[in-house]
Amino acid sequence: MAEQEEKTENVKSLLGRWQNMSRTRQVVIIIAAAAVLALLLFIAQHLSKPQYVTLYSNLDPAQASPLVQYLREEGIPYHLDDFGGTIKVPGDRADELRIEMAGKGIPFAQGLGFEIFDEERLGITDFERQVRMQRALQEELRRTITSLDAVLQARVHLVLPEPSVFLRERGEPSAAVYLKLNPFTPLKQEQIRGIVFLVASGVEGLKAENVIVIDSQGNILYDAVTSTDPMIAVADSALKQLEVKRSFEMELERRVQGMLERVFGPGKALALVTAEMDFDSQESTIISYDENGVPRSSQITEESFEGEGAPAGEVGESNYPGYVGITPGGESSYERREETVNYEIGESSQRTITAPGKILCLHTSVVIDNGQNPLAQQQIQQVNNLISAAIGFDEERGDLVSVEGMSFDRSFEEKMDTALAEAEQLQQRQDLIRQAVTGGVIIIVFILLLIAWRRWRRALREEQERVPTAPETLEQLIALEEEEIPELSPEETPQGRVRKMIDSNLEVAISILRSWIIEE
């Protein structure tokens, strides 16, 4: 009870001190207290606010709708960004939610795949079954396509003709694929062909030439129908040739410029390469024959005759080689030998196919920043030799290398560097001013709080010095009667304090009186 009265007296003294202060001092203390309270509330709110991280991004409304509905049902706080395309949740729940939603097929399943046949109802017609099959095929193909890193979203539209008994009336299926591409992962041409053959292989009777692929900008990524147009094929071939030519030139430029910058320093050299290339495909066959023939086959015929013969006239011609004429009325004989040899002429064939992209000649131009000092002829020759070795210089091919030393105009770069330096200095100045203002406010608030606290302590000390301390024992209270006691309230007099102490400690007072009586 004594402690409660002491607290009450302290509060009264503080109120008295507050009322004795000037109005300006009261306003300063109120403002300082409000600033400290606002700062503490801001820090507490910032520390207690959960940190939100991205759960899913690049969502369309059809994908975001089940996500938002699930989060609302579970009572999980979330934020929507990018016009609803990005959903953010507290960081400590993100991983758990991804696992839960992956098990539920959210948000990747916009429709039902082959699980649409899990609940087969009775009385379904053939048309409804065919429509379900088409929807299942489209969804399964879409899920497979969206598994690629370069594809964010996809839709597959299939046109499946109705089966017919007559082969002539049976139509061919076709497909159209829509892709929303990832801007950070390019889709390669091989991947596009893979998507086309995936769709063609997943649908019965579908050919690759009946598949068309477009992106979200409406650009045709694959169209086998228009690619058969000879004009389009020629244009595509020319574009590919230019792309190959420019890639080859850029590679040579990169090698030459990288080598020169290592010698003269970054930004001190500029290299340009022009390549003349032959993209015509040529095929030649060379056939050569040997001078000496090779015997292939031979045939020998021999005839001989001996005997008597009747007189007869001359048969054949007398000058026939190896022929012996018949002597009339006497003996006769003849011999004949015939040899036929067939020779084969040696033949060698050489077939040469020249691949397109043959280099006809190279023209290389190099400019070196010499500043105020012109390049020496010896140095130019050294650079020329280095470049010739780097690009594979061939004089017979007609290659040309030009090296010149000039002074680069760096006024624009200097202006840009100056502007960037000024912007950086301005940003640093603003940051310093902001930090100085923040630090000044904190220091002012701290000083005000320190002054208020010191004044409060000083006032409390003065109040304690002005109010006499309460005696601890009855002997001290009785001794105070003989001293000069200032004017006090009835409760602050020794008798009042004795009365309070007796009321609060009755047993102690009785023991003291008992000891007094025994002493007397």
Side-chain angles (χ1 to χ4, degrees), residues 25-72:
R25 188 175 298 176
Q26 292 178 355
V27 171
V28 170
I29 294 176
I30 291 173
I31 293 175
V36 172
L37 181 62
L39 181 62
L40 294 177
L41 290 176
F42 175 76
I43 294 174
Q45 183 180 4
H46 181 72
L47 294 177
S48 61
K49 183 179 179 180
Q51 298 294 328
Y52 284 82
V53 297
T54 301
L55 181 63
Y56 292 109
S57 60
N58 299 317
L59 300 174
D60 58 7
Q63 290 177 316
S65 178
L67 278 172
V68 173
Q69 184 178 0
Y70 177 80
L71 295 176
R72 286 179 180 175

Side-chain angles (χ1 to χ4, degrees), residues 166-180:
F166 304 99
L167 295 177
R168 294 181 179 179
E169 297 179 0
R170 184 176 299 176
E172 294 184 354
S174 60
V177 181
Y178 162 83
L179 302 178
K180 184 177 181 182

Side-chain angles (χ1 to χ4, degrees), residues 440-466:
V441 171
I442 294 175
I443 292 173
I444 292 173
V445 171
F446 179 75
I447 292 174
L448 293 176
L449 290 176
L450 183 61
I451 293 173
W453 180 76
R454 293 183 63 182
R455 290 184 177 179
W456 177 76
R457 292 287 297 176
R458 188 183 301 112
L460 183 62
R461 191 181 303 108
E462 292 177 355
E463 186 69 23
Q464 291 177 354
E465 292 176 356
R466 186 172 67 251

Side-chain angles (χ1 to χ4, degrees), residues 144-211:
T144 306
I145 294 172
T146 52
S147 63
L148 298 176
D149 295 336
V151 179
L152 296 178
Q153 299 176 15
R155 295 197 66 181
V156 180
H157 303 277
L158 299 177
V159 179
L160 303 179
E162 296 182 0
S164 176
V165 180
F166 304 99
L167 295 177
R168 294 181 179 179
E169 297 179 0
R170 184 176 299 176
E172 294 184 354
S174 60
V177 181
Y178 162 83
L179 302 178
K180 184 177 181 182
L181 304 179
N182 188 348
F184 302 104
T185 305
L187 184 65
K188 301 179 181 179
Q189 194 67 26
E190 294 80 5
Q191 293 176 321
I192 297 176
R193 287 198 295 268
I195 292 173
V196 171
F197 285 103
L198 170 69
V199 176
S201 302
V203 181
E204 182 181 0
L206 180 60
K207 300 179 180 179
E209 55 265 23
N210 294 334
V211 179

Side-chain angles (χ1 to χ4, degrees), residues 254 256-271 367-371 406 408-410 413 417:
R254 184 187 64 80
V256 172
Q257 189 161 350
M259 178 182 62
L260 295 178
E261 286 185 348
R262 292 292 299 271
V263 177
F264 296 97
K268 293 290 186 178
L270 177 63
V367 181
I368 299 174
D369 184 13
N370 57 359
M406 297 182 181
F408 287 4
D409 184 10
R410 301 185 179 276
E413 296 181 2
D417 294 340

Side-chain angles (χ1 to χ4, degrees), residues 406-518:
M406 297 182 181
S407 178
F408 287 4
D409 184 10
R410 301 185 179 276
S411 58
F412 180 75
E413 296 181 2
E414 293 176 355
K415 290 181 181 179
M416 291 298 297
D417 294 340
T418 303
L420 291 175
E422 292 178 354
E424 186 176 359
Q425 292 179 359
L426 180 61
Q427 184 67 30
Q428 292 178 355
R429 193 180 301 111
Q430 291 178 354
D431 293 340
L432 290 175
I433 293 174
R434 190 181 300 108
Q435 294 174 1
V437 171
T438 305
V441 171
I442 294 175
I443 292 173
I444 292 173
V445 171
F446 179 75
I447 292 174
L448 293 176
L449 290 176
L450 183 61
I451 293 173
W453 180 76
R454 293 183 63 182
R455 290 184 177 179
W456 177 76
R457 292 287 297 176
R458 188 183 301 112
L460 183 62
R461 191 181 303 108
E462 292 177 355
E463 186 69 23
Q464 291 177 354
E465 292 176 356
R466 186 172 67 251
V467 178
T469 58
E472 297 179 356
T473 60
L474 290 175
E475 289 83 353
Q476 293 178 356
L477 288 175
I478 295 172
L480 288 175
E481 293 181 355
E482 299 176 357
E483 297 179 358
E484 184 178 357
I485 300 175
E487 295 182 0
L488 300 174
S489 61
E491 295 179 355
E492 295 178 351
T493 57
Q495 293 82 358
R497 293 184 181 277
V498 170
R499 193 177 296 109
K500 290 181 182 180
M501 185 172 293
I502 291 173
D503 294 338
S504 59
N505 300 310
L506 183 60
E507 296 179 357
V508 175
I510 293 173
S511 61
I512 292 174
L513 291 175
R514 186 177 300 167
S515 62
W516 286 353
I517 293 171
I518 293 172

Side-chain angles (χ1 to χ4, degrees), residues 256-297:
V256 172
Q257 189 161 350
M259 178 182 62
L260 295 178
E261 286 185 348
R262 292 292 299 271
V263 177
F264 296 97
K268 293 290 186 178
L270 177 63
L272 294 177
V273 178
T274 302
E276 295 183 9
M277 306 179 71
D278 184 10
F279 290 96
D280 296 335
S281 179
Q282 298 178 359
E283 180 179 351
S284 61
T285 303
I286 300 175
I287 300 175
S288 59
Y289 299 96
D290 297 339
E291 296 180 356
N292 300 323
V294 178
R296 180 181 179 184
S297 62

